[in-house]
Amino acid sequence: MAEDKLDTIALLKAIADSPKRDNSVYHRAMAEARQAFEEAESALGGPVRMRSKTKMKRNGEFTVKWTFKRGS
């Protein structure tokens, strides 16, 4: 029983010491998305509707296409 507790403590320490996930790419993509909405709204003169299309390429890249139209 004591060995199980020590193993659990060692596991928790390893998790705590592991490198944290880098979310900078996600945050940059979200900032670009907000900017795209702002630009679409200013270009189309008001609220917009958005349609998206996603695709996974063979090389592992994930692409997203957004189409903006004037809101009704």
Side-chain angles (χ1 to χ4, degrees):
M1 202 63 153
E3 282 185 33
D4 289 341
K5 188 173 183 179
L6 291 176
D7 289 341
T8 303
I9 290 171
L11 178 64
L12 292 174
K13 282 184 180 181
I15 291 170
D17 292 339
S18 67
K20 305 301 180 244
R21 190 164 84 183
D22 181 17
N23 289 331
S24 60
V25 174
Y26 168 78
H27 290 294
R28 186 171 46 246
M30 292 307 295
E32 290 174 5
R34 283 190 287 277
Q35 184 65 33
F37 271 93
E38 288 177 19
E39 290 174 6
E41 285 178 341
S42 67
L44 296 175
V48 294
R49 292 182 301 156
M50 188 267 308
R51 189 178 74 198
S52 66
K53 187 186 250 187
T54 59
K55 181 179 182 180
M56 176 72 85
K57 294 184 177 182
R58 287 185 183 177
N59 63 1
E61 291 181 0
F62 189 77
T63 59
V64 179
K65 177 183 176 182
W66 289 355
T67 306
F68 294 98
K69 292 185 180 182
R70 283 192 178 132
S72 50

